[in-house]
């Protein structure tokens, strides 16, 4: 297989011994996650089913936190740091989402497990580069999500005689016709949604290489090109329903299919909600395209499971991670969740409609893979938290220069 084109943020993998020690009650295995919404909860249930079928004597404890991702991570941090009571495995985001845990010695190197399972050759190479740090591999991915997606209502575009915009300026220009019909051009949601939108505007305006450089420190934020891109983001915000923003992704998507908004930008978890929960039909009630300016680029995020340092049931946890990384586990999870497998050798025939389109791009060797910042792959949580605040300030004051100054300063402060 020829090498794909990637924008990566990490070093090359290494091999370490497989961990085999075990302590505590061997008939228990606790998994911590924030998967309580329907698609993710259903996917987790599928993984639990496969695990329990293979290990019927082990009690599977689903410790999913029914709270926001940020609050769930706070709960996890307390267990890892203050209580010294780690679960046997916990969910995190690939890339920089794992960085603090690795730096704090809170997770074990899984290189040996990768070697024994043959995963180095079957996990997507672009993902592997962002799972590896300091010569170790610290998470087993169960899925791939995509961030640079523009969901739209085909009927609205047809009635307004509009085409899916190829640039962000084209989307802004469509507002004149859509607003005359009482339709919001772009449905928007909470703070993380706005950061997600900023990410896709930066990607479309700057290109994959410059976009990636903003997050890995090789490209400065305080340049005229970046300021222009941020100002484009400001223009996009002007054609959203910012004064009546949704409080959750579901409401954000409902406005798309009820005909009150033409477009929205969110991840591919939208497909599961729209198809299963909302009962809508792909390419009839809703459709999707790459966000403007990002054709040929895949802005990805991935959920991984870990082996925490000090886990009480190491053997059981390794068996869980083996299920997560298996072909059966990946297909069982992703076919019900609407996401994609991290492996490149799963059964492609199981993925239809939107997933077939998306999987084809993920596996295309010409696709450039870049890491999502809003979802923890490209940037650490402390920096992203500051950027979210700066985005909120920018939405209200429109000062692009102050925004990039603040982002650059936050980068320095969170690295010092």
């Amino acid at each position: 297989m020829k090498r794909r084109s990637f924008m990566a943020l990490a070093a090359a993998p290494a091999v370490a011994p497989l961990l085999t020690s075990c302590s505590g009650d061997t008939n228990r295995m606790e998994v911590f996650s924030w998967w309580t919404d329907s698609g993710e909860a259903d996917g987790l249930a599928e993984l639990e089913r496969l695990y329990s079928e293979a290990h019927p004597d082990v009690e599977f404890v689903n410790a999913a936190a029914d709270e926001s991702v940020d609050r769930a991570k706070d709960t996890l941090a307390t267990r890892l740091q203050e209580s010294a009571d780690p679960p046997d495995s916990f969910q995190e985001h690939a890339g920089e989402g794992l960085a603090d845990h690795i730096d704090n010695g809170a997770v074990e190197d899984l290189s040996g497990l990768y070697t024994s399972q043959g995963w180095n050759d079957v996990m997507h190479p672009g993902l592997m580069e962002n799972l590896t740090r300091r010569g170790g591999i610290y998470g087993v991915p169960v899925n791939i999500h995509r961030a640079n997606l523009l969901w739209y209502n085909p009927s609205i575009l047809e009635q307004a005689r509009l085409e899916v915009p190829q640039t962000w300026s084209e989307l802004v220009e469509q507002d004149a016709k859509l607003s005359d019909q009482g339709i919001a051009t772009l449905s928007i949601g909470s703070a993380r949604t706005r950061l997600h939108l900023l990410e896709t505007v930066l990607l479309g305006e700057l290109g994959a290489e410059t976009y990636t450089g903003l997050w890995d420190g090789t490209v400065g934020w305080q340049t005229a090109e970046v300021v222009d891109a941020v100002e484009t983001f400001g223009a996009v915000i002007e054609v959203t329903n910012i004064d009546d923003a949704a409080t959750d992704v579901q409401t954000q998507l409902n406005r798309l299919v009820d005909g009150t908004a033409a477009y929205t930008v969110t991840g591919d978890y939208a497909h599961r909600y729209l198809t299963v929960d909302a009962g809508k039909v792909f390419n009839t009630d809703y459709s999707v395209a790459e966000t403007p300016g990002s054709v040929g680029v895949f802005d990805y995020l991935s959920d991984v499971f870990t082996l925490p340092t000090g886990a009480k049931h190491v053997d059981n946890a390794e068996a869980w991670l083996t299920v997560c990384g298996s072909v059966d586990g990946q297909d069982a999870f992703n076919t019900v969740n609407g996401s994609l497998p991290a492996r490149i050798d799963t059964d492609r025939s199981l993925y239809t409609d939107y997933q077939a389109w998306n999987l084809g791009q993920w596996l295309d060797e010409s696709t450039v893979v870049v890491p999502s910042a809003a979802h923890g792959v490209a940037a650490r949580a402390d920096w992203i938290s500051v950027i979210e605040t700066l985005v909120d300030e920018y939405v209200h004051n429109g000062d692009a220069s102050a925004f990039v100054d603040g982002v650059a300063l936050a980068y320095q402060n969170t690295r010092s």
Side-chain angles (χ1 to χ4, degrees):
M1 181 185 299
K2 72 178 183 181
R3 181 171 178 81
R4 292 169 172 82
S5 175
F6 299 113
M7 301 295 169
L9 296 175
V15 175
L18 176 64
L19 295 162
T20 57
S21 63
C22 181
S23 61
D25 179 5
T26 59
N27 293 321
R28 179 182 171 89
M29 205 277 297
E30 181 189 12
V31 174
F32 181 95
S33 75
W34 51 81
W35 280 342
T36 57
D37 288 341
S38 59
E40 296 165 336
D42 290 348
L44 181 59
E46 284 296 296
L47 293 174
E48 177 183 349
R49 175 184 62 81
L50 290 173
Y51 181 87
S52 295
E53 287 175 357
H55 305 279
D57 295 332
V58 177
E59 177 191 5
F60 185 97
V61 180
N62 180 358
D66 190 10
E67 51 194 356
S68 69
V69 175
D70 290 338
R71 287 186 178 275
K73 289 188 175 186
D74 289 341
T75 299
L76 176 63
T78 298
R79 292 192 59 179
L80 293 178
Q81 298 168 17
E82 297 177 19
S83 302
D85 179 34
D88 297 306
S89 185
F90 64 83
Q91 175 192 3
E92 227 339 322
H93 289 130
E96 293 296 296
L98 279 169
D100 285 339
H101 296 304
I102 296 169
D103 291 347
N104 293 334
V107 289
E108 299 282 3
D109 180 7
L110 299 171
S111 299
L113 187 61
Y114 270 75
T115 299
S116 69
Q117 296 299 317
W119 289 340
N120 292 292
D121 297 325
V122 297
M123 294 295 179
H124 194 290
L127 173 61
M128 285 296 296
E129 293 181 33
N130 281 312
L131 286 174
T132 306
R133 182 179 292 267
R134 298 177 182 173
I137 307 173
Y138 293 89
V140 176
V142 295
N143 63 10
I144 296 295
H145 281 299
R146 190 176 191 178
N148 60 316
L149 294 171
L150 182 71
W151 301 87
Y152 63 93
N153 184 314
S155 297
I156 289 177
L157 298 195
E158 182 179 357
Q159 292 168 8
R161 297 183 179 180
L162 294 172
E163 299 291 333
V164 175
Q166 299 303 300
T167 68
W168 286 105
S169 295
E170 287 180 14
L171 182 140
V172 172
E173 290 167 2
Q174 291 183 4
D175 183 65
K177 182 173 288 189
L178 291 168
S179 60
D180 283 346
Q181 300 177 21
I183 297 170
T185 299
L186 189 71
S187 176
I188 199 169
S190 60
R192 186 58 57 93
T193 301
R194 297 167 200 179
L195 177 58
H196 186 146
L197 178 60
L198 170 66
E199 173 177 307
T200 58
V201 173
L202 293 174
L203 177 61
E205 294 294 294
L206 301 173
E209 184 174 0
T210 300
Y211 162 84
T212 305
L214 288 175
W215 306 110
D216 67 16
T218 60
V219 172
W221 282 82
Q222 296 157 298
T223 67
E225 183 182 21
V226 176
V227 171
D228 287 346
V230 172
E231 289 178 342
T232 298
F233 168 69
V236 172
I237 287 292
E238 291 295 323
V239 302
T240 69
N241 58 320
I242 188 69
D243 294 331
D244 186 28
T247 56
D248 54 49
V249 173
Q250 289 82 3
T251 303
Q252 181 183 348
L253 291 165
N254 288 342
R255 288 172 172 167
L256 183 75
V257 294
D258 70 13
T260 58
Y263 303 102
T264 195
V265 171
T266 192
D268 53 8
Y269 31 82
H271 175 66
R272 156 77 192 211
Y273 172 76
L274 291 170
T275 303
V276 177
D277 299 308
K280 303 303 178 180
V281 178
F282 180 61
N283 276 340
T284 299
D285 300 312
Y286 72 98
S287 194
V288 69
E290 302 92 335
T291 50
S294 69
V295 173
V297 180
F298 198 113
D299 183 13
Y300 93 94
L301 52 142
S302 176
D303 294 290
V304 304
F305 281 97
T306 65
L307 177 60
T309 302
K312 299 179 181 66
H313 312 101
V314 175
D315 288 346
N316 295 343
E318 286 186 346
W320 160 251
L321 295 174
T322 299
V323 170
C324 291
S326 68
V327 169
D328 288 346
Q330 302 253 313
D331 283 339
F333 180 88
N334 291 293
T335 51
V336 300
N337 186 47
S339 44
L340 300 180
R343 296 179 65 124
I344 60 176
D345 62 343
T346 57
D347 187 352
R348 293 184 65 170
S349 70
L350 298 175
Y351 300 87
T352 60
D353 295 330
Y354 159 75
Q355 285 179 291
W357 171 79
N358 202 28
L359 183 58
Q361 295 201 27
W362 174 243
L363 296 178
D364 188 332
E365 295 186 359
S366 67
T367 297
V368 177
V369 177
V370 300
S372 169
H375 298 277
V377 185
R380 294 198 186 199
D382 52 357
W383 191 24
I384 289 301
S385 178
V386 176
I387 296 176
E388 282 187 355
T389 299
L390 292 170
V391 167
D392 185 60
E393 293 174 358
Y394 174 66
V395 165
H396 291 92
N397 64 31
D399 190 337
S401 294
F403 174 81
V404 297
D405 288 346
V407 173
L409 178 61
Y411 178 78
Q412 296 300 324
N413 288 341
T414 55
R415 291 302 174 276
S416 60

